[in-house]
Amino acid sequence: MSSTFGSFSVARLGIYAAQKGLDVTGNNITNINTKGYTRQRLDQVSLISTASDKYFSTYKTRVGQGVLTTGVSQLRDPGMDLLYRSAQADVGSASAKLDGLEQIASILDEVGKGDGVQDDGVILSQMNDLRDLINQAVTNGIDGYNSLIRGSADSLCILFNKYAGKLEELQKSYEEELDQSVTEVNTILKNIQELNVSIRNADIRGDDALELRDQRNLLLDELSEYMKIDVKYSEEDVGAGLMVEKLTVTLSNDPPHNHTLIDGEYGAQIGTDLNDSGYPINLYALRDLDGVKKDPNATDPVELLDNDLYGSLQSIRELLTEEGEFSNAADMANDPDALVKRGIPYYRQALDLLAREFATQMNALNNVPAGTNIPGAGNLFSQGSNTDDADNITAANISVSKSWANDTVSMIATKDPNASTGDNSNLAAFLDLFTKKHDFSPKDLVADAEGATYTGSFEDMLLRIQSTLAEDQMTTGKVLNNYAVTANEVYTSRDSISGVDLNDEATNLMVYQKAYTAACRLMTTLNDALDALLAM
Amino acid sequence: MVRITTNGMLFNYRYNLGGVTNSLNNSITKVMTQRNFNTYASDPAAATRAFRVHSSLNAVNAQYSNNKTVLSKFETAWSTIDGVLNDLTNKLGSVPALEGLDGTKWDDLDTQGQILRAGAEAMVQSMNGKYDQKYIFAGSDSDVPPFAIDDAGDITYRGVKVDKNLDDEYKDADGNPMLDEDGNPMTNAQVLKKWAEDDPVFVDIGLGFELDANGKVIESTAFDSSISGIDIMGYGVDEDGDPKNLASIMLRLADIFESYDAEKSDPWNGQYEEACRLVNKFNQSREEMIDAYAELDAEALFLNKNETQLEDTFDALNTERSSIEDIDPADAILELSWAQICYNSALQVGANVIPQSLMDYLQ
């Protein structure tokens, strides 16, 4: 038998639940644009006052005593999170790589660039100019053409220097970007660690901490773009049988190393060494917020290997370190694909190799054995404008030699001191240099390089550098597109579960509003009924 | 997926709108730059081919200019020899020679002799003609005048007498001998033969221009622009010991005429037969010079044809370049119109369709 005023509490509970429902719906609606917000639902259970008595009478009817709100829960699917983070790592990796390649292309790509009349490239056009001037000198003799040829050669050297300089700047700016990324990752890790502590405390208190969990998920999403991670939730016993949730984040790409980034309230940090040409990423030991190590015997730091990371951080590293054909045996032991991965160092060295081979061939034609009397013989290209030394020429330092600049050396028409005055056999050899095929061997630049030799003319080599870059760009672009589409699909799927939909919330508004009205109506009905009783 | 949230819909809309905008941007860029591709990555194969075509175009330009230069040189050579054959050998050669032999005019032999001598000198001067700072008939030694009459009155070509001391060892200006392929010093005769037949100056007029493994130009891939004066005028002596060089013959005849002394018992000094023989040889030599001159003509004709050929090659390359690089305006504008339609439709969708939700209908 229910008490006289017991029914009022049923109505009151009904009003309370409807009001709570409206609150939750209002929270959802106002948070529709909050990044990472998971929609919330009011949990209600029906209230029963007693379970069973020993002396149960069959004449008694038991009715529930209303509704109780037991809490608010989030609608989120952890499986979708997993898929999304995996897709994000792919997108991060391809996107960072494509960005880098596009930056390199902005320096090296010559399509559409030229003197405006003919879009025939920049370095390519200058080489053609040099070749054509030499061709005319073959027909008309070297007098009068030597200074024109020297001018053209000077422009070519300046272009080489410019490209090399820009690539070096690009390398530096990517070093800074790597540094920046590492700092950002560290900030994220620290924030996750702090959130873990807060959530743990909230769990112990009995608070749901839904918003904190949302923030943590958001940070995990951000982290997954930088590196591929595994997220595990486990239960931790904090004493007296109370279990709270513990979050563990590990690097996903490296069995059996199991590098842990976050373990409950312990977090790690990463670091990089910009002075080391391999730009290694180091993982420091797990520490709590006060800096005390979780395991005093843990190695600190651990250097992560090339295949341990996958994501935008690794892509930036690869841009900074991959040498393609210039890799040596040690590089290949680390990564069997080293010969086909090409980053900024590859392009710098390829350009250097071209400049070196060009200068070597040209100088060889202009030098005669000691004792032969040919006026004007000597090095045409050197490693600086104040010297004639032609050792270790690179694209950054190739220059018209000092002697050529001050006319002590000129392009020689013949190597035979007894030849007649119109003999142009050496000039013919110079002309032939531009059409004949040379061996570009990576070992000429880097003594222990493992890559294959490329045989082709100077123009072929230049085009090869550009087309390798272009094909890499094209492929990466397509791959990125695929990954992006997948990531978008996963995002939309995830959002379909955990996102706020205005139509849904509008319906809920109506429902709770009606429930509220109904509960109020119940209240007034009960009131009237009681009035009728009391009026007797 | 059963449930699409408002944000989910907007997220996808934004991504797809980005794609449509990108497409529109590409079409606009194509029309503005008139190029089929604006980066290497958008079409690597076409870009590589286009650059190679550009390189060939530049090379053909240089070859065309070379062709013109060489053609002009040959044309100048041809007109010089034309002058030599028509004026000099006639008025200053055949005429006085024949008059000299005419028995009725033997008192005038000195004059004839002088005319002959002057004629020979004029011929040597003509053959020392220049084209653009270089001596035309000097073979490969184009900075030095090829012909001269030395103090002994002999014609020399590049310092070597063309019909005397032929078996002596050749010594150049510094006194060094010239060695043949076996390393033996060459005689004057061998050197002259080499200068007449094997003294090339190769130029690139678009025939391929390649060097062999020893660094020598492959003859079939280049054009030999050197013209050897002695090949045209003649050199050496024949079986009778008479000079073959036209000017040499004239000088020898002049010597004989001038030595005629009517007061002597043998006025001709026994050289009358030689004089008659020389007159015949003169005509023979003149015939050979005409042959050489016709050869020059043939080379000039070849160069003319080559010029046309180079023009055709240039046009063909340019057409190819255009087909790779340039857009077809009609296609490009059609593409642009379509991209604009797609873009406008996407904007319509965004403006009209997406923002509706139940909220708008609640009272």
Side-chain angles (χ1 to χ4, degrees):
Chain A
M1 168 113 104
S2 54
S3 62
T4 313
F5 299 105
S7 312
F8 278 104
S9 67
V10 173
R12 182 181 58 80
L13 283 176
I15 292 173
Y16 180 70
Q19 192 158 27
K20 234 349 168 222
L22 283 173
D23 281 345
V24 170
T25 310
N27 191 30
N28 279 344
I29 291 174
T30 45
N31 275 308
I32 191 173
N33 281 331
T34 307
K35 196 159 185 249
Y37 179 79
T38 312
R39 63 185 170 133
Q40 294 171 353
R41 275 289 166 270
L42 183 64
D43 294 331
Q44 298 179 169
V45 290
S46 184
L47 178 61
I48 310 174
S49 49
T50 52
S52 65
D53 352 327
K54 200 170 176 181
Y55 304 103
F56 181 66
S57 161
T58 46
Y59 296 110
K60 205 165 158 192
T61 40
R62 200 177 302 113
V63 179
Q65 290 293 296
V67 66
L68 262 190
T69 54
T70 51
V72 175
S73 59
Q74 282 181 327
L75 284 107
R76 195 178 185 101
D77 180 356
M80 296 305 314
D81 281 332
L82 234 90
L83 281 176
Y84 182 69
R85 282 167 196 150
S86 170
Q88 277 290 80
D90 288 334
V91 168
S93 167
S95 155
K97 184 172 176 200
L98 186 62
D99 273 345
L101 289 176
E102 280 176 357
Q103 298 268 19
I104 301 177
S106 73
I107 299 171
L108 290 181
D109 187 352
E110 297 197 338
V111 165
K113 296 184 189 166
D115 62 0
V117 173
Q118 247 204 95
D119 289 338
D120 55 350
V122 184
I123 285 199
L124 282 165
S125 167
Q126 196 59 43
M127 268 215 174
N128 284 344
D129 187 53
L130 185 60
R131 176 198 63 193
D132 294 339
L133 279 173
I134 293 178
N135 198 349
Q136 295 197 343
V138 167
T139 312
N140 298 314
I142 188 66
D143 303 319
Y145 280 93
N146 181 52
S147 34
L148 286 172
I149 292 176
R150 185 180 60 217
S152 184
D154 198 32
S155 304
L156 184 63
C157 290
I158 290 177
L159 283 173
F160 268 122
N161 298 150
K162 194 170 83 159
Y163 279 26
K166 281 198 182 152
L167 282 173
E168 193 181 328
E169 268 173 40
L170 188 65
Q171 176 116 7
K172 288 211 168 52
S173 84
Y174 265 92
E175 281 178 5
E176 276 169 29
E177 178 141 350
L178 181 65
D179 204 26
Q180 190 80 352
S181 299
V182 163
T183 313
E184 279 167 20
V185 167
N186 280 340
T187 313
I188 293 173
L189 287 172
K190 190 111 222 126
N191 287 341
I192 294 177
Q193 188 183 2
E194 284 169 359
L195 278 171
N196 270 351
V197 171
S198 307
I199 291 172
R200 186 168 178 274
N201 290 341
D203 277 353
I204 292 174
R205 280 197 311 266
D207 178 4
D208 280 331
L210 295 176
E211 284 72 20
L212 291 177
R213 286 191 153 85
D214 278 344
Q215 275 183 37
R216 187 173 65 181
N217 272 322
L218 201 56
L219 286 171
L220 284 168
D221 286 345
E222 260 184 65
L223 183 62
S224 67
E225 240 190 276
Y226 289 101
M227 42 179 77
K228 197 159 183 204
I229 50 176
D230 262 340
V231 173
K232 283 193 267 300
Y233 296 94
S234 53
E235 297 278 292
E236 190 188 355
D237 184 356
V238 290
L242 178 61
M243 305 293 268
V244 294
E245 183 194 78
K246 183 172 89 152
L247 172 76
T248 311
V249 178
T250 53
L251 278 180
S252 131
N253 224 12
D254 58 331
H257 304 286
N258 279 327
H259 294 126
T260 314
L261 294 169
I262 307 266
D263 189 23
E265 50 184 355
Y266 296 98
Q269 296 272 283
I270 59 170
T272 182
D273 183 3
L274 291 180
N275 293 324
D276 183 333
S277 65
Y279 304 99
I281 306 274
N282 296 323
L283 180 66
Y284 294 95
L286 289 170
R287 289 180 160 79
D288 67 11
L289 284 176
D290 298 322
V292 176
K293 275 202 210 176
K294 179 180 182 200
D295 175 7
N297 297 325
T299 1
D300 183 24
V302 169
E303 184 177 315
L304 296 175
L305 302 173
D306 270 353
N307 291 328
D308 287 343
L309 285 170
Y310 173 70
S312 69
L313 207 58
Q314 177 65 4
S315 288
I316 297 178
R317 269 194 73 224
E318 283 185 1
L319 267 172
L320 284 171
T321 55
E322 293 297 346
E323 293 179 296
E325 276 86 348
F326 298 92
S327 311
N328 57 21
D331 294 330
M332 290 180 67
N334 271 341
D335 178 6
D337 290 333
L339 283 180
V340 293
K341 287 193 185 164
R342 301 181 181 92
I344 298 173
Y346 167 75
Y347 291 102
R348 286 177 78 184
Q349 287 176 313
L351 216 55
D352 284 345
L353 182 58
L354 174 60
R356 185 172 292 190
E357 184 67 20
F358 176 74
T360 309
Q361 295 286 346
M362 296 286 272
N363 283 344
L365 278 181
N366 216 50
N367 275 305
V368 290
T372 326
N373 174 29
I374 299 275
N379 280 342
L380 294 171
F381 294 96
S382 66
Q383 43 153 292
S385 57
N386 58 351
T387 171
D388 287 341
D389 182 6
D391 292 328
N392 298 329
I393 289 185
T394 64
N397 65 21
I398 186 174
S399 159
V400 161
S401 73
K402 183 173 170 199
S403 298
W404 198 12
N406 62 23
D407 278 328
T408 326
V409 159
S410 71
M411 195 172 259
I412 56 179
T414 173
K415 284 198 179 185
D416 179 1
N418 301 322
S420 43
T421 51
D423 186 3
N424 64 357
S425 50
N426 204 42
L427 290 175
F430 270 114
L431 179 61
D432 192 52
L433 265 188
F434 288 86
T435 42
K436 118 173 161 181
K437 297 201 180 302
H438 307 277
D439 285 330
F440 293 93
S441 163
K443 289 191 171 51
D444 289 341
L445 199 71
V446 174
D448 53 356
E450 293 279 325
T453 303
Y454 174 70
T455 307
S457 67
F458 298 131
E459 184 182 295
D460 287 340
M461 180 65 172
L462 259 173
L463 286 176
R464 181 166 189 261
I465 296 175
Q466 288 186 36
S467 64
T468 310
L469 176 61
E471 275 160 27
D472 214 356
Q473 248 181 299
M474 200 168 72
T475 317
T476 310
K478 290 195 176 128
V479 161
L480 176 62
N481 225 25
N482 287 341
Y483 285 153
V485 166
T486 311
N488 284 347
E489 275 172 22
V490 176
Y491 178 86
T492 318
S493 294
R494 189 171 76 162
D495 200 56
S496 77
I497 296 168
S498 58
V500 174
D501 183 33
L502 287 178
N503 293 333
D504 253 354
E505 301 308 318
T507 318
N508 285 340
L509 267 181
M510 287 195 300
V511 161
Y512 283 121
Q513 194 236 344
K514 287 284 178 262
Y516 189 88
T517 316
C520 293
R521 169 58 77 200
L522 174 64
M523 183 81 83
T524 53
T525 309
L526 285 172
N527 193 32
D528 285 344
L530 212 50
D531 271 348
L533 180 65
L534 292 174
M536 281 203 268
Chain B
M1 196 190 328
V2 179
R3 178 174 184 264
I4 307 261
T5 61
T6 321
N7 274 341
M9 199 155 56
L10 284 172
F11 177 82
N12 281 328
Y13 172 74
R14 228 177 281 131
Y15 181 76
N16 290 324
L17 183 64
V20 168
T21 315
N22 202 24
S23 188
L24 178 65
N25 186 42
N26 282 342
S27 303
I28 291 178
T29 311
K30 252 197 199 177
V31 171
M32 303 276 281
T33 59
Q34 306 276 311
R35 290 183 59 101
N36 259 336
F37 53 90
N38 284 298
T39 58
Y40 214 116
S42 34
D43 196 351
T48 308
R49 182 82 204 114
F51 276 128
R52 287 200 201 282
V53 170
H54 274 294
S55 178
S56 302
L57 278 170
N58 286 331
V60 168
N61 259 337
Q63 286 154 2
Y64 190 76
S65 143
N66 285 345
N67 197 64
K68 267 195 151 35
T69 308
V70 176
L71 181 57
S72 298
K73 176 180 170 184
F74 272 68
E75 279 172 354
T76 313
W78 188 90
S79 64
T80 306
I81 300 202
D82 201 40
V84 165
L85 280 175
N86 291 334
D87 298 332
L88 299 180
T89 53
N90 217 11
K91 285 192 250 170
L92 306 182
S94 316
V95 170
L98 288 172
E99 300 231 326
L101 289 181
D102 183 351
T104 57
K105 302 219 175 96
W106 286 356
D107 313 319
D108 218 10
L109 271 174
D110 258 355
T111 325
Q112 305 305 345
Q114 273 166 13
I115 296 177
L116 276 170
R117 195 174 293 283
E121 280 164 9
M123 230 193 286
V124 165
Q125 262 179 350
S126 276
M127 295 298 277
N128 278 345
K130 269 183 170 180
Y131 175 73
D132 189 30
Q133 314 298 325
K134 299 232 175 255
Y135 291 98
I136 304 176
F137 296 103
S140 66
D141 202 14
S142 45
D143 285 351
V144 177
F147 286 103
I149 302 182
D150 68 5
D151 303 327
D154 298 318
I155 307 269
T156 60
Y157 178 73
R158 287 163 74 170
V160 175
K161 292 185 203 263
V162 297
D163 39 41
K164 298 251 170 70
N165 305 335
L166 289 173
D167 292 324
D168 290 354
E169 195 176 282
Y170 168 75
K171 291 252 188 303
D172 69 8
D174 301 320
N176 299 322
M178 194 186 292
L179 301 174
D180 63 11
E181 288 142 14
D182 303 318
N184 302 322
M186 293 165 80
T187 61
N188 283 338
Q190 286 169 326
V191 166
L192 282 173
K193 187 163 163 27
K194 180 174 190 295
W195 281 342
E197 292 169 11
D198 184 24
D199 190 30
V201 173
F202 288 112
V203 297
D204 178 19
I205 54 164
L207 301 173
F209 206 81
E210 230 180 277
L211 269 57
D212 63 17
N214 296 327
K216 296 232 175 307
V217 178
I218 300 177
E219 286 185 26
S220 51
T221 65
F223 183 79
D224 178 8
S225 71
S226 80
I227 304 178
S228 169
I230 47 173
D231 194 32
I232 296 179
M233 267 180 78
Y235 65 100
V237 294
D238 61 11
E239 322 72 60
D240 300 326
D242 295 323
K244 291 208 231 170
N245 184 293
L246 207 54
S248 241
I249 297 176
M250 283 164 74
L251 283 177
R252 182 83 194 101
L253 261 179
D255 280 342
I256 297 179
F257 284 3
E258 279 164 3
S259 75
Y260 175 81
D261 192 351
E263 275 122 48
K264 286 213 184 136
S265 54
D266 177 13
W268 282 99
N269 278 331
Q271 290 171 328
Y272 181 70
E273 260 191 48
E274 195 186 339
C276 295
R277 213 176 54 223
L278 279 177
V279 169
N280 282 337
K281 296 277 166 72
F282 177 85
N283 285 326
Q284 239 176 323
S285 196
R286 190 165 175 276
E287 289 300 311
E288 276 167 24
M289 194 158 167
I290 291 178
D291 285 342
Y293 156 80
E295 254 179 60
L296 266 182
D297 196 27
E299 307 246 346
L301 197 63
F302 170 74
L303 285 171
N304 259 322
K305 287 221 173 80
N306 195 56
E307 191 171 306
T308 320
Q309 178 64 35
L310 282 175
E311 281 167 3
D312 289 341
T313 308
F314 189 87
D315 285 336
L317 282 173
N318 214 12
T319 313
E320 188 182 351
R321 180 205 64 79
S322 185
S323 76
I324 298 173
E325 277 189 344
D326 296 339
I327 52 165
D328 173 15
D331 274 347
I333 291 181
L334 205 58
E335 205 183 299
L336 177 61
S337 305
W338 179 243
Q340 274 172 336
I341 290 173
C342 290
Y343 182 68
N344 288 336
S345 317
L347 291 180
Q348 289 266 14
V349 163
N352 294 332
V353 176
I354 288 186
Q356 300 291 345
S357 78
L358 195 50
M359 291 288 186
D360 301 310
Y361 295 98
L362 288 179
Q363 292 192 341

